[in-house]
Amino acid sequence: MAGLQVEVDGSIMEGGGQILRVSTALSCLLGLPLRVQKIRAGRSTPGLRPQHLSGLEMIRDLCDGQLERAEIGSTEITFTPEKIKGGIHTADTKTAGSVCLLMQVSMPCVLFAASSSELHLKGGTNAEMAPQIDYTLMVFKPIVEKFGFKFNCDIKTRGYYPKGGGEVIVRVSPVKQLNPINLTDRGYVTKIYGRAFVAGVLPFKVAKDMAAAAVRCIRKEIRDLYVNIQPVQEPKDQAFGNGNGIIIIAETSTGCLFAGSSLGKRGVNADKVGIEAAEMLLANLRHGGTVDEYLQDQLIVFMALANGVSRIKTGPVTLHTQTAIHFAEQIAKAKFIVKKSEDEEDASKDTYIIECQGIGMTNPNL
């Protein structure tokens, strides 16, 4: 086996934690020993951060594998996977590191486990530079379930930057194979809804102001739809620390989902947070794709594993997506084609079709 070790350069393309997530998940699934070098080499704090380490340790535990040289600051690891097993697994970033990114790395693996899994993921639920848990539940979940599986995600406690302290419990049953998806018909927007939240010491007025500013911003561009953004005060027993943020979802006639979201920071007024989320949503609606820019790269691994040809229509292909495609081709040997959309209505837009011939991964345990 040792001769077949996959060598990954962690500094190319996106050059961040994503390379680690994609390559270790695929290594685990395919039973391929892996060496990743130059991990986050170009970042201001190179090497493994706590959230990357907890993700790696969880994947190791999921399959009773071996992980070498994995410590904070390390720029090289080797990972030797064994058989993926179900059961209860815990990963704790001990920081505001994102629970959603922990879910991203573990979800494909547990689908091919021997039995059902329960993942206890601890860290930040609404963190910068990562999907918010609301995004994972409201956008990622309904779309990724089109691959032919279901999962359940229970938010025990929300946790914010810089303390973290949140926890979610994810339950997943294994599948025999994943179905390909075809997301190429966007339809038209039928509803826009969302939630603006405050937690801890922040006044409820902040939630109302974020929501109102977001609605005003969307109204300028989309006049004929009711926009329903609920202001929410997170209950004290279900939120750790202080935070505020907003997520807004647009749903289309064909079941496509797009989001815009933003988190409050010290010294940034509530209106600005609301407007930032609204503008992000509107930008995602302008490009003509069927997925927003954050879902794009999260679907690549599932497309690579599916049994058949998947197609998604997107706006400009992000660096994260190009990176995921590169490693899905290198490690899983899936075949991707990215081409400009040829539909008339997309002619004036930056719209692409990402097509993948999946490898038809089969769960050896079922």
Side-chain angles (χ1 to χ4, degrees), residues 192-218:
I192 297 178
Y193 51 91
R195 73 193 299 271
F197 69 86
V198 289
V201 300
L202 294 164
F204 186 55
K205 179 180 183 323
V206 169
K208 292 196 283 200
D209 289 351
M210 287 188 295
V215 171
R216 283 196 303 273
C217 182
I218 292 167

PDB file of all heavy atoms in Angstrom, residues 192-218:
ATOM      1  N   ILE A 192     -38.327  35.452  -0.714  1.00  0.00           N
ATOM      2  CA  ILE A 192     -37.099  35.883  -0.038  1.00  0.00           C
ATOM      3  C   ILE A 192     -37.401  35.972   1.454  1.00  0.00           C
ATOM      4  O   ILE A 192     -38.381  36.606   1.859  1.00  0.00           O
ATOM      5  CB  ILE A 192     -36.618  37.252  -0.575  1.00  0.00           C
ATOM      6  CG1 ILE A 192     -36.266  37.129  -2.068  1.00  0.00           C
ATOM      7  CG2 ILE A 192     -35.404  37.745   0.218  1.00  0.00           C
ATOM      8  CD1 ILE A 192     -35.829  38.429  -2.724  1.00  0.00           C
ATOM      9  N   TYR A 193     -36.589  35.288   2.243  1.00  0.00           N
ATOM     10  CA  TYR A 193     -36.844  35.262   3.684  1.00  0.00           C
ATOM     11  C   TYR A 193     -35.514  35.143   4.418  1.00  0.00           C
ATOM     12  O   TYR A 193     -34.474  34.870   3.798  1.00  0.00           O
ATOM     13  CB  TYR A 193     -37.754  34.083   4.054  1.00  0.00           C
ATOM     14  CG  TYR A 193     -37.279  32.755   3.509  1.00  0.00           C
ATOM     15  CD1 TYR A 193     -36.431  31.935   4.259  1.00  0.00           C
ATOM     16  CD2 TYR A 193     -37.662  32.322   2.236  1.00  0.00           C
ATOM     17  CE1 TYR A 193     -35.981  30.734   3.761  1.00  0.00           C
ATOM     18  CE2 TYR A 193     -37.212  31.119   1.720  1.00  0.00           C
ATOM     19  CZ  TYR A 193     -36.375  30.324   2.488  1.00  0.00           C
ATOM     20  OH  TYR A 193     -35.917  29.128   1.990  1.00  0.00           O
ATOM     21  N   GLY A 194     -35.539  35.326   5.727  1.00  0.00           N
ATOM     22  CA  GLY A 194     -34.284  35.216   6.457  1.00  0.00           C
ATOM     23  C   GLY A 194     -34.441  35.462   7.939  1.00  0.00           C
ATOM     24  O   GLY A 194     -35.559  35.579   8.444  1.00  0.00           O
ATOM     25  N   ARG A 195     -33.296  35.523   8.613  1.00  0.00           N
ATOM     26  CA  ARG A 195     -33.324  35.818  10.048  1.00  0.00           C
ATOM     27  C   ARG A 195     -32.155  36.743  10.386  1.00  0.00           C
ATOM     28  O   ARG A 195     -31.062  36.606   9.852  1.00  0.00           O
ATOM     29  CB  ARG A 195     -33.289  34.540  10.892  1.00  0.00           C
ATOM     30  CG  ARG A 195     -31.986  33.806  10.949  1.00  0.00           C
ATOM     31  CD  ARG A 195     -32.127  32.394  11.535  1.00  0.00           C
ATOM     32  NE  ARG A 195     -32.621  32.311  12.898  1.00  0.00           N
ATOM     33  CZ  ARG A 195     -31.853  32.347  13.984  1.00  0.00           C
ATOM     34  NH1 ARG A 195     -30.549  32.499  13.891  1.00  0.00           N
ATOM     35  NH2 ARG A 195     -32.383  32.231  15.185  1.00  0.00           N
ATOM     36  N   ALA A 196     -32.447  37.718  11.235  1.00  0.00           N
ATOM     37  CA  ALA A 196     -31.424  38.638  11.736  1.00  0.00           C
ATOM     38  C   ALA A 196     -31.376  38.395  13.239  1.00  0.00           C
ATOM     39  O   ALA A 196     -32.397  38.506  13.914  1.00  0.00           O
ATOM     40  CB  ALA A 196     -31.824  40.077  11.439  1.00  0.00           C
ATOM     41  N   PHE A 197     -30.213  38.009  13.745  1.00  0.00           N
ATOM     42  CA  PHE A 197     -30.169  37.594  15.148  1.00  0.00           C
ATOM     43  C   PHE A 197     -29.237  38.457  15.996  1.00  0.00           C
ATOM     44  O   PHE A 197     -28.261  39.013  15.501  1.00  0.00           O
ATOM     45  CB  PHE A 197     -29.742  36.120  15.264  1.00  0.00           C
ATOM     46  CG  PHE A 197     -28.297  35.877  14.883  1.00  0.00           C
ATOM     47  CD1 PHE A 197     -27.280  36.035  15.815  1.00  0.00           C
ATOM     48  CD2 PHE A 197     -27.964  35.499  13.588  1.00  0.00           C
ATOM     49  CE1 PHE A 197     -25.955  35.826  15.474  1.00  0.00           C
ATOM     50  CE2 PHE A 197     -26.635  35.287  13.232  1.00  0.00           C
ATOM     51  CZ  PHE A 197     -25.628  35.450  14.176  1.00  0.00           C
ATOM     52  N   VAL A 198     -29.575  38.551  17.263  1.00  0.00           N
ATOM     53  CA  VAL A 198     -28.639  39.073  18.262  1.00  0.00           C
ATOM     54  C   VAL A 198     -28.547  38.049  19.379  1.00  0.00           C
ATOM     55  O   VAL A 198     -29.510  37.337  19.670  1.00  0.00           O
ATOM     56  CB  VAL A 198     -29.074  40.442  18.856  1.00  0.00           C
ATOM     57  CG1 VAL A 198     -28.919  41.548  17.845  1.00  0.00           C
ATOM     58  CG2 VAL A 198     -30.490  40.391  19.402  1.00  0.00           C
ATOM     59  N   ALA A 199     -27.357  37.972  19.988  1.00  0.00           N
ATOM     60  CA  ALA A 199     -27.151  37.049  21.105  1.00  0.00           C
ATOM     61  C   ALA A 199     -26.354  37.755  22.187  1.00  0.00           C
ATOM     62  O   ALA A 199     -25.562  38.652  21.899  1.00  0.00           O
ATOM     63  CB  ALA A 199     -26.394  35.822  20.620  1.00  0.00           C
ATOM     64  N   GLY A 200     -26.574  37.331  23.430  1.00  0.00           N
ATOM     65  CA  GLY A 200     -25.805  37.899  24.548  1.00  0.00           C
ATOM     66  C   GLY A 200     -26.307  39.278  24.915  1.00  0.00           C
ATOM     67  O   GLY A 200     -27.512  39.507  25.023  1.00  0.00           O
ATOM     68  N   VAL A 201     -25.379  40.218  25.073  1.00  0.00           N
ATOM     69  CA  VAL A 201     -25.729  41.532  25.621  1.00  0.00           C
ATOM     70  C   VAL A 201     -26.273  42.512  24.572  1.00  0.00           C
ATOM     71  O   VAL A 201     -26.662  43.621  24.902  1.00  0.00           O
ATOM     72  CB  VAL A 201     -24.505  42.198  26.303  1.00  0.00           C
ATOM     73  CG1 VAL A 201     -23.992  41.324  27.440  1.00  0.00           C
ATOM     74  CG2 VAL A 201     -23.386  42.460  25.293  1.00  0.00           C
ATOM     75  N   LEU A 202     -26.264  42.103  23.311  1.00  0.00           N
ATOM     76  CA  LEU A 202     -26.655  43.062  22.273  1.00  0.00           C
ATOM     77  C   LEU A 202     -28.153  43.328  22.281  1.00  0.00           C
ATOM     78  O   LEU A 202     -28.948  42.406  22.433  1.00  0.00           O
ATOM     79  CB  LEU A 202     -26.223  42.553  20.895  1.00  0.00           C
ATOM     80  CG  LEU A 202     -24.700  42.476  20.730  1.00  0.00           C
ATOM     81  CD1 LEU A 202     -24.339  41.621  19.544  1.00  0.00           C
ATOM     82  CD2 LEU A 202     -24.113  43.856  20.559  1.00  0.00           C
ATOM     83  N   PRO A 203     -28.550  44.601  22.126  1.00  0.00           N
ATOM     84  CA  PRO A 203     -29.974  44.939  22.168  1.00  0.00           C
ATOM     85  C   PRO A 203     -30.733  44.404  20.948  1.00  0.00           C
ATOM     86  O   PRO A 203     -30.183  44.325  19.850  1.00  0.00           O
ATOM     87  CB  PRO A 203     -29.991  46.476  22.182  1.00  0.00           C
ATOM     88  CG  PRO A 203     -28.660  46.901  21.669  1.00  0.00           C
ATOM     89  CD  PRO A 203     -27.698  45.804  21.988  1.00  0.00           C
ATOM     90  N   PHE A 204     -32.008  44.057  21.178  1.00  0.00           N
ATOM     91  CA  PHE A 204     -32.864  43.509  20.122  1.00  0.00           C
ATOM     92  C   PHE A 204     -32.994  44.487  18.953  1.00  0.00           C
ATOM     93  O   PHE A 204     -33.151  44.088  17.802  1.00  0.00           O
ATOM     94  CB  PHE A 204     -34.243  43.174  20.709  1.00  0.00           C
ATOM     95  CG  PHE A 204     -35.149  42.463  19.748  1.00  0.00           C
ATOM     96  CD1 PHE A 204     -34.742  41.289  19.137  1.00  0.00           C
ATOM     97  CD2 PHE A 204     -36.406  42.974  19.451  1.00  0.00           C
ATOM     98  CE1 PHE A 204     -35.577  40.615  18.238  1.00  0.00           C
ATOM     99  CE2 PHE A 204     -37.250  42.301  18.554  1.00  0.00           C
ATOM    100  CZ  PHE A 204     -36.835  41.134  17.958  1.00  0.00           C
ATOM    101  N   LYS A 205     -32.895  45.775  19.248  1.00  0.00           N
ATOM    102  CA  LYS A 205     -32.982  46.809  18.207  1.00  0.00           C
ATOM    103  C   LYS A 205     -31.973  46.551  17.073  1.00  0.00           C
ATOM    104  O   LYS A 205     -32.235  46.832  15.911  1.00  0.00           O
ATOM    105  CB  LYS A 205     -32.742  48.191  18.831  1.00  0.00           C
ATOM    106  CG  LYS A 205     -32.797  49.344  17.818  1.00  0.00           C
ATOM    107  CD  LYS A 205     -32.548  50.687  18.505  1.00  0.00           C
ATOM    108  CE  LYS A 205     -32.652  51.894  17.577  1.00  0.00           C
ATOM    109  NZ  LYS A 205     -32.159  51.755  16.220  1.00  0.00           N
ATOM    110  N   VAL A 206     -30.807  46.011  17.426  1.00  0.00           N
ATOM    111  CA  VAL A 206     -29.774  45.716  16.422  1.00  0.00           C
ATOM    112  C   VAL A 206     -30.311  44.719  15.382  1.00  0.00           C
ATOM    113  O   VAL A 206     -30.095  44.877  14.179  1.00  0.00           O
ATOM    114  CB  VAL A 206     -28.489  45.183  17.102  1.00  0.00           C
ATOM    115  CG1 VAL A 206     -27.500  44.622  16.080  1.00  0.00           C
ATOM    116  CG2 VAL A 206     -27.822  46.293  17.918  1.00  0.00           C
ATOM    117  N   ALA A 207     -31.034  43.699  15.851  1.00  0.00           N
ATOM    118  CA  ALA A 207     -31.613  42.707  14.934  1.00  0.00           C
ATOM    119  C   ALA A 207     -32.641  43.372  14.026  1.00  0.00           C
ATOM    120  O   ALA A 207     -32.665  43.147  12.806  1.00  0.00           O
ATOM    121  CB  ALA A 207     -32.244  41.563  15.722  1.00  0.00           C
ATOM    122  N   LYS A 208     -33.486  44.226  14.622  1.00  0.00           N
ATOM    123  CA  LYS A 208     -34.518  44.906  13.821  1.00  0.00           C
ATOM    124  C   LYS A 208     -33.893  45.838  12.785  1.00  0.00           C
ATOM    125  O   LYS A 208     -34.350  45.903  11.640  1.00  0.00           O
ATOM    126  CB  LYS A 208     -35.474  45.676  14.739  1.00  0.00           C
ATOM    127  CG  LYS A 208     -36.329  44.737  15.587  1.00  0.00           C
ATOM    128  CD  LYS A 208     -37.535  45.419  16.199  1.00  0.00           C
ATOM    129  CE  LYS A 208     -37.168  46.278  17.394  1.00  0.00           C
ATOM    130  NZ  LYS A 208     -38.302  46.564  18.274  1.00  0.00           N
ATOM    131  N   ASP A 209     -32.819  46.532  13.178  1.00  0.00           N
ATOM    132  CA  ASP A 209     -32.144  47.457  12.253  1.00  0.00           C
ATOM    133  C   ASP A 209     -31.472  46.718  11.093  1.00  0.00           C
ATOM    134  O   ASP A 209     -31.529  47.165   9.950  1.00  0.00           O
ATOM    135  CB  ASP A 209     -31.097  48.300  13.000  1.00  0.00           C
ATOM    136  CG  ASP A 209     -31.745  49.337  13.921  1.00  0.00           C
ATOM    137  OD1 ASP A 209     -32.984  49.508  13.839  1.00  0.00           O
ATOM    138  OD2 ASP A 209     -31.029  49.970  14.727  1.00  0.00           O
ATOM    139  N   MET A 210     -30.820  45.583  11.393  1.00  0.00           N
ATOM    140  CA  MET A 210     -30.194  44.789  10.327  1.00  0.00           C
ATOM    141  C   MET A 210     -31.250  44.334   9.317  1.00  0.00           C
ATOM    142  O   MET A 210     -31.051  44.445   8.109  1.00  0.00           O
ATOM    143  CB  MET A 210     -29.496  43.544  10.907  1.00  0.00           C
ATOM    144  CG  MET A 210     -28.213  43.829  11.645  1.00  0.00           C
ATOM    145  SD  MET A 210     -27.315  42.303  12.101  1.00  0.00           S
ATOM    146  CE  MET A 210     -28.446  41.518  13.252  1.00  0.00           C
ATOM    147  N   ALA A 211     -32.364  43.819   9.847  1.00  0.00           N
ATOM    148  CA  ALA A 211     -33.438  43.313   8.982  1.00  0.00           C
ATOM    149  C   ALA A 211     -34.014  44.427   8.117  1.00  0.00           C
ATOM    150  O   ALA A 211     -34.175  44.265   6.899  1.00  0.00           O
ATOM    151  CB  ALA A 211     -34.540  42.675   9.832  1.00  0.00           C
ATOM    152  N   ALA A 212     -34.296  45.582   8.739  1.00  0.00           N
ATOM    153  CA  ALA A 212     -34.920  46.696   8.007  1.00  0.00           C
ATOM    154  C   ALA A 212     -33.991  47.217   6.905  1.00  0.00           C
ATOM    155  O   ALA A 212     -34.429  47.479   5.777  1.00  0.00           O
ATOM    156  CB  ALA A 212     -35.279  47.822   8.980  1.00  0.00           C
ATOM    157  N   ALA A 213     -32.706  47.351   7.202  1.00  0.00           N
ATOM    158  CA  ALA A 213     -31.753  47.852   6.215  1.00  0.00           C
ATOM    159  C   ALA A 213     -31.631  46.879   5.040  1.00  0.00           C
ATOM    160  O   ALA A 213     -31.557  47.289   3.878  1.00  0.00           O
ATOM    161  CB  ALA A 213     -30.386  48.068   6.866  1.00  0.00           C
ATOM    162  N   ALA A 214     -31.639  45.573   5.350  1.00  0.00           N
ATOM    163  CA  ALA A 214     -31.540  44.556   4.301  1.00  0.00           C
ATOM    164  C   ALA A 214     -32.771  44.607   3.390  1.00  0.00           C
ATOM    165  O   ALA A 214     -32.651  44.562   2.161  1.00  0.00           O
ATOM    166  CB  ALA A 214     -31.398  43.170   4.926  1.00  0.00           C
ATOM    167  N   VAL A 215     -33.946  44.724   3.999  1.00  0.00           N
ATOM    168  CA  VAL A 215     -35.185  44.783   3.215  1.00  0.00           C
ATOM    169  C   VAL A 215     -35.171  46.007   2.288  1.00  0.00           C
ATOM    170  O   VAL A 215     -35.483  45.896   1.105  1.00  0.00           O
ATOM    171  CB  VAL A 215     -36.431  44.813   4.137  1.00  0.00           C
ATOM    172  CG1 VAL A 215     -37.691  45.104   3.332  1.00  0.00           C
ATOM    173  CG2 VAL A 215     -36.574  43.482   4.881  1.00  0.00           C
ATOM    174  N   ARG A 216     -34.767  47.150   2.816  1.00  0.00           N
ATOM    175  CA  ARG A 216     -34.716  48.371   1.989  1.00  0.00           C
ATOM    176  C   ARG A 216     -33.790  48.193   0.791  1.00  0.00           C
ATOM    177  O   ARG A 216     -34.100  48.593  -0.329  1.00  0.00           O
ATOM    178  CB  ARG A 216     -34.204  49.566   2.823  1.00  0.00           C
ATOM    179  CG  ARG A 216     -35.245  50.165   3.764  1.00  0.00           C
ATOM    180  CD  ARG A 216     -34.819  51.558   4.254  1.00  0.00           C
ATOM    181  NE  ARG A 216     -33.515  51.562   4.926  1.00  0.00           N
ATOM    182  CZ  ARG A 216     -33.343  51.328   6.226  1.00  0.00           C
ATOM    183  NH1 ARG A 216     -34.377  51.057   7.019  1.00  0.00           N
ATOM    184  NH2 ARG A 216     -32.120  51.364   6.757  1.00  0.00           N
ATOM    185  N   CYS A 217     -32.648  47.551   1.035  1.00  0.00           N
ATOM    186  CA  CYS A 217     -31.657  47.347  -0.020  1.00  0.00           C
ATOM    187  C   CYS A 217     -32.198  46.413  -1.117  1.00  0.00           C
ATOM    188  O   CYS A 217     -32.048  46.681  -2.312  1.00  0.00           O
ATOM    189  CB  CYS A 217     -30.390  46.774   0.611  1.00  0.00           C
ATOM    190  SG  CYS A 217     -29.066  46.522  -0.552  1.00  0.00           S
ATOM    191  N   ILE A 218     -32.865  45.336  -0.705  1.00  0.00           N
ATOM    192  CA  ILE A 218     -33.412  44.375  -1.682  1.00  0.00           C
ATOM    193  C   ILE A 218     -34.547  45.006  -2.481  1.00  0.00           C
ATOM    194  O   ILE A 218     -34.651  44.815  -3.697  1.00  0.00           O
ATOM    195  CB  ILE A 218     -33.900  43.092  -0.958  1.00  0.00           C
ATOM    196  CG1 ILE A 218     -32.696  42.333  -0.389  1.00  0.00           C
ATOM    197  CG2 ILE A 218     -34.688  42.184  -1.910  1.00  0.00           C
ATOM    198  CD1 ILE A 218     -33.043  41.238   0.582  1.00  0.00           C
TER     199      ILE A 218
END
